[in-house]
Amino acid sequence: MSGEELHKSYSARWENMWTQDGVLKPGQAFDAAKSSPALSAQLASGGLDVCGKRVLVPGCGRGYDLVEFARAGAGLAAGLELAPTAAAAAEAYLGEALSGEEAAHVQVHSGDFFAWKCPTGEAFDLGFDYTFMCALHPNMRADWATSWARLLAPGATLACLAFPLNHDKETGPPWPVTEQMYKDLLLPAGFTLVREEPVPAELSHAGRGGKEALLVFRRT
Ligand SMILES: C[S@@+](CC[C@H](N)C(=O)[O-])C[C@H]1O[C@@H](n2cnc3c(N)ncnc32)[C@H](O)[C@@H]1O
């Protein structure tokens, strides 16, 4: 199968996943019904400073992380979704969750991370990658890294909440990942590693404790 065929057939799974039993519900499958406590902690402590920044969250699902970024002062929190049903679910959820003022700083885009361009042509200052790289087929990972490099501005931050580490399954999604895998993919693509730390179990969603780490990269 060519890379293009793999990409097409693998990507088709997501709309099916979002619709197979009616629209995927909050708390079902990968949807944890809220943003990761590790992200909230980083935003509260200033470990990740998003004030006035343009933030991109690919594979944003229902958009829980966008709410966190908007409330932490992001100039723009943009979610990107391949599955049209996910994008619609995010619009509905955000319509309820956000105040009018917060909503002015949030956008949901439908599109494929590997080909998408921001409609304004502007690059992003911060990327957040959680439950996204692990969702992609392993053969798509090199393109994942170059796509991040394309969408982020020089000097931008890429925060990867690595998951699932220490995973006993060989196939996915979620495909098992290691911290080294993120470095091996991103360093040759034009990133430097700024920070790497394990996520304490109490800052992970239920069932994910001990399987997460934060790696922060800078786009050179
Ligand atoms: C494992 S889910 C995680 C969703 C969300 N981050 C969450 O934690 O609830 C991965 C998401 O990535 C989306 N996705 C997969 N491939 C994509 C692509 N090439 N471009 C944009 N989104 C994609 C899927 O539709 C799916 O909603």
Side-chain angles (χ1 to χ4, degrees):
M1 195 187 285
S2 72
E4 203 175 318
E5 284 165 345
L6 168 78
H7 187 104
K8 214 170 160 186
S9 72
Y10 187 83
S11 295
R13 70 172 47 228
W14 294 107
E15 180 60 12
N16 294 339
M17 184 140 198
W18 272 93
T19 54
Q20 63 194 358
D21 296 318
V23 177
L24 188 101
K25 293 178 190 58
Q28 205 180 348
F30 52 76
D31 185 312
K34 61 176 187 175
S35 188
S36 166
L39 174 61
S40 311
Q42 287 294 321
L43 293 172
S45 68
L48 287 178
D49 175 16
V50 296
C51 224
K53 293 188 177 160
R54 293 168 48 79
V55 179
L56 178 63
V57 184
C60 65
R62 208 168 240 106
Y64 305 113
D65 302 332
L66 304 177
V67 176
E68 298 298 310
F69 284 119
R71 291 191 178 149
L76 172 68
L80 178 63
E81 252 303 332
L82 182 68
T85 300
E91 293 282 10
Y93 169 74
L94 294 166
E96 299 267 316
L98 296 172
S99 70
E101 192 177 329
E102 290 163 349
H105 297 277
V106 174
Q107 295 173 354
V108 177
H109 296 270
S110 282
D112 183 342
F113 178 68
F114 297 93
W116 184 76
K117 295 188 184 97
C118 180
T120 61
E122 291 166 275
F124 288 87
D125 308 309
L126 189 140
F128 182 62
D129 199 292
Y130 181 46
T131 57
F132 185 59
M133 198 272 261
C134 69
L136 304 173
H137 190 280
N139 291 353
M140 299 160 89
R141 285 178 187 156
D143 288 345
W144 166 84
T146 53
S147 296
W148 266 127
R150 176 176 60 79
L151 289 161
L152 294 175
T157 299
L158 175 56
C160 297
L161 192 46
F163 167 83
L165 305 168
N166 312 312
H167 195 53
D168 53 8
K169 300 205 175 89
E170 282 178 17
T171 58
W175 298 84
V177 301
T178 64
E179 291 99 325
Q180 192 59 44
M181 202 179 271
Y182 285 85
K183 293 180 237 177
D184 288 346
L185 290 162
L186 291 168
L187 300 188
F191 290 86
T192 53
L193 181 66
V194 181
R195 193 151 63 94
E196 176 178 356
E197 57 203 53
V199 171
E202 65 272 19
L203 291 183
S204 289
H205 289 308
R208 300 187 192 179
K211 292 186 163 197
E212 300 188 323
L214 178 69
L215 290 95
V216 180
F217 295 86
R218 176 162 300 116
R219 170 89 172 86
T220 49

